Amino acid sequence: MGNYFETANITYEAAQNAVSVAIAEGAKIGVLAVVTVVDSSLTMVAFGKADGATPHSVETSRRKANTGASTRKKTGWMSDAFAIQLPLGTDGLVTNIQGGFPLKFEGKNVGGLGVAGGTPDQDASIAAATLVAIGADAD
């Protein structure tokens, strides 16, 4: 039995790149994106908000990133009952709204990406395109 374990976390440089790429991906489809990247402990590493983006999307993007990092699944997978219970049980820390993805490189979970500002489908599309652009593993 060991006394510790090691975890992989996204670097600031990679996180900031993901934010820049996601905002640019949003602009391509006319979405003023708000983007959060958290590490595997749900600590925010990078954040960006397109000029003119809605203020409520700030918290939504963070919750999407938290959910991707903590569940290691993209958001939108929960059943109706669980989609209500889990946010309540975590004091709103997680969400089932599309646009959150786990961040994985070389099979290692390093955090989560959350995109808000458009429709849930647009947010998910922006996040998926960002993962491809930054060379993250497909989920």
Side-chain angles (χ1 to χ4, degrees):
M1 177 171 136
N3 294 319
Y4 68 94
F5 66 93
E6 295 185 33
T7 59
N9 284 305
I10 192 161
T11 64
Y12 170 76
E13 183 179 4
Q16 190 59 47
N17 181 48
V19 168
S20 296
V21 167
I23 289 174
E25 289 293 334
K28 289 179 186 177
I29 61 170
V31 171
L32 299 173
V34 179
V35 186
T36 302
V37 175
V38 299
D39 67 16
S40 60
S41 71
L42 310 187
T43 301
M44 185 186 299
V45 178
F47 169 82
K49 178 179 170 283
D51 294 340
T54 58
H56 66 272
S57 294
V58 171
E59 190 57 40
T60 305
S61 73
R62 183 165 186 171
R63 292 174 189 206
K64 290 177 181 185
N66 285 339
T67 306
S70 66
T71 65
R72 298 179 179 175
K73 297 179 183 180
K74 64 182 179 179
T75 53
W77 62 270
M78 298 175 205
S79 67
D80 290 342
F82 195 53
I84 295 169
Q85 294 166 350
L86 189 59
L88 287 173
T90 61
D91 199 24
L93 190 64
V94 297
T95 185
N96 195 44
I97 302 170
Q98 293 180 62
F101 285 76
L103 282 168
K104 301 176 188 175
F105 292 93
E106 300 172 12
K108 296 181 186 213
N109 292 294
V110 299
L113 169 68
V115 176
T119 66
D121 286 339
Q122 288 173 319
D123 294 346
S125 174
I126 293 164
T130 299
L131 295 180
V132 170
I134 65 172
D137 297 350
D139 71 309

